[in-house]
Amino acid sequence: MSAGAGGHEEMWPYWLLYGVGLLLIPVRVLDRRAQLVVWSLVIAVFSVVIGLRHEVGADWGNYLDYFESAAVTPFSEYVTPGRDPGYYLINWVVNRLGGSIYVVNALCGLLFMSGVVAFVRRQPLPWLALLVAVPYLIIVVGMGYTRQSVAIGLSMIAMVALLDRKWGRFFFWMVLAASFHKTALFLLPVVAWVADRNRLMVLTGGAISFVLAGYFFLFGSLDHFMTTYVEGEMDSKGAFVRTGMNFLASIIYFIHAKRIDHVPTERKFWGLMAFFSMISFPLSFFASTATDRMALYLFPFQIHVLSFCPLLFRQNDIRGAFAFLVIGFFAVVLGVWMFFAEHSFAWVPYRLAGFE
């Protein structure tokens, strides 16, 4: 079943979210303080939309069960290392304080969108970077994969720290990300490739962080992860499309790397992300679910490259035309997903808590 079967009139909230990026075009002429206010409002608006959704997302029932079970489960049994403790801690605290699943989702949306905004603001065209993120990363992942969306958002903050060579902050945000979804550990070892100063200290810190985070968040549930995502029969039918878009971004990056990133450290990091994006495409045909879930951490690379594309041209009129091309392309991506994706019925119509 797809959204094409009905509920067309209830798609407008998603199109409004997509249009936010266009409203942000004039923000770059504002002073730093005014820009901070505007972007804070963006975080607030998206967090509310994510948090107050009702029965939106394919796993809504599962997350509701997780929340309700917190009322009858002792803390020591509910918040355990192998169960993504960051997410379950929020569930347990909110539940015991008399809150609802909407509070949990709003808090998770706040963490997620804080990461998204921190990342897109570092791009040359932040408004376009946000627009690129809306159709899949924000709408599908942010409103459907709650735990992993937080992990991705926090990993995006970690990426900013990494590119700024703030190694301690990178390790902190990555370990925190892994506490919400263990797959975030995938990004921790990249510091070994990127570090270009204090290398021994950075590698030592990275190894310690990886071992500790792996011990607490991954190793105890590794069998479950392998059974569920790798050895099981689960199939993500859209994986080849999503990894294909990353593959396209990797080709563009390998051709124009020196024009997109002038700093060698950044080229090393994004070059590695381009390599992972390239190999994830053929892998999606063999282990689609595992590859699809891991490739979500490569989405910032797609944002980084595709939002930069208009700047590959020197003439302003061509830049403008290419920006409209990117806008149109991702509008099509959003429309195709809403009308034809197999599971889009779980997102369409959008329902707001209290008005369902």
Side-chain angles (χ1 to χ4, degrees):
M1 181 178 178
S2 68
H8 297 178
E9 69 282 359
E10 301 297 341
M11 296 180 184
W12 63 267
Y14 298 126
W15 290 112
L16 286 181
L17 291 182
Y18 187 70
V20 169
L22 298 177
L23 297 177
L24 295 174
I25 294 177
V27 170
R28 59 183 178 180
V29 302
L30 301 177
D31 60 53
R32 186 179 183 87
R33 185 174 182 178
Q35 288 189 31
L36 181 60
V37 170
V38 172
W39 283 106
S40 297
L41 288 174
V42 171
I43 293 174
V45 169
F46 276 84
S47 298
V48 168
V49 174
I50 291 172
L52 295 185
R53 71 188 191 275
H54 176 74
E55 295 184 351
V56 172
D59 291 330
W60 173 268
N62 292 334
Y63 282 116
L64 188 59
D65 289 342
Y66 299 153
F67 178 77
E68 292 175 346
S69 67
V72 295
T73 307
F75 180 85
S76 59
E77 297 178 16
Y78 189 80
V79 182
T80 59
R83 286 189 79 200
D84 302 324
Y87 175 75
Y88 285 97
L89 175 62
I90 291 178
N91 262 282
W92 196 88
V93 171
V94 170
N95 188 295
R96 294 307 174 100
L97 291 177
S100 66
I101 186 65
Y102 307 114
V103 177
V104 172
N105 288 341
L107 291 173
C108 289
L110 179 62
L111 293 172
F112 169 62
M113 285 307 305
S114 295
V116 171
V117 168
F119 181 84
V120 301
R121 289 190 67 193
R122 203 180 190 280
Q123 308 309 308
L125 298 175
W127 65 271
L128 189 57
L130 179 67
L131 186 144
V132 170
V134 168
Y136 191 76
L137 183 62
I138 294 178
I139 291 178
V140 180
V141 177
M143 298 189 193
Y145 311 162
T146 304
R147 288 176 297 169
Q148 194 169 11
S149 71
V150 177
I152 293 170
L154 297 178
S155 71
M156 293 173 87
I157 299 178
M159 288 180 189
V160 173
L162 179 69
L163 296 172
D164 289 338
R165 301 181 185 181
K166 297 176 180 177
W167 313 118
R169 294 184 184 181
F170 169 75
F171 295 138
F172 170 80
W173 289 112
M174 285 309 308
V175 171
L176 188 60
S179 75
F180 282 86
H181 206 277
K182 55 189 68 67
T183 52
L185 288 173
F186 157 71
L187 285 176
L188 251 180
V190 303
V191 71
W193 175 259
V194 176
D196 59 354
R197 62 182 181 183
N198 301 322
R199 192 173 180 83
L200 180 60
M201 182 180 69
V202 172
L203 293 180
T204 301
I208 293 174
S209 299
F210 184 78
V211 171
L212 290 177
Y215 176 79
F216 285 109
F217 307 141
L218 176 62
F219 299 151
S221 57
L222 188 58
D223 289 342
H224 172 73
F225 177 82
M226 292 295 292
T227 301
T228 302
Y229 293 120
V230 180
E231 297 172 0
E233 298 299 324
M234 294 178 66
D235 180 51
S236 296
K237 297 185 182 301
F240 77 97
V241 175
R242 292 184 285 274
T243 57
M245 292 174 66
N246 285 340
F247 182 82
L248 172 63
S250 68
I251 293 176
I252 295 173
Y253 189 81
F254 282 131
I255 295 174
H256 299 288
K258 290 186 177 180
R259 295 186 62 188
I260 297 175
D261 292 311
H262 301 288
V263 181
T265 301
E266 296 190 9
R267 281 204 303 273
K268 288 178 69 175
F269 174 71
W270 292 121
L272 185 61
M273 294 299 100
F275 172 74
F276 288 148
S277 296
M278 187 163 279
I279 64 174
S280 68
F281 180 58
L283 285 176
S284 68
F285 291 93
F286 302 100
S288 63
T289 299
T291 303
D292 196 30
R293 281 303 180 106
M294 302 304 291
L296 290 177
Y297 295 98
L298 300 175
F299 204 91
F301 168 72
Q302 183 184 137
I303 296 173
H304 177 63
V305 174
L306 298 186
S307 68
F308 187 91
C309 280
L311 301 181
L312 293 174
F313 304 93
R314 289 187 172 88
Q315 299 90 340
N316 287 334
D317 54 344
I318 298 180
R319 285 183 173 185
F322 206 90
F324 277 109
L325 181 63
V326 174
I327 294 169
F329 174 76
F330 280 94
V332 171
V333 169
L334 177 56
V336 169
W337 176 81
M338 286 194 296
F339 280 97
F340 301 109
E342 182 178 7
H343 299 291
S344 63
F345 67 89
W347 279 259
V348 180
Y350 176 86
R351 303 177 187 88
L352 187 66
F355 296 91
E356 64 274 10

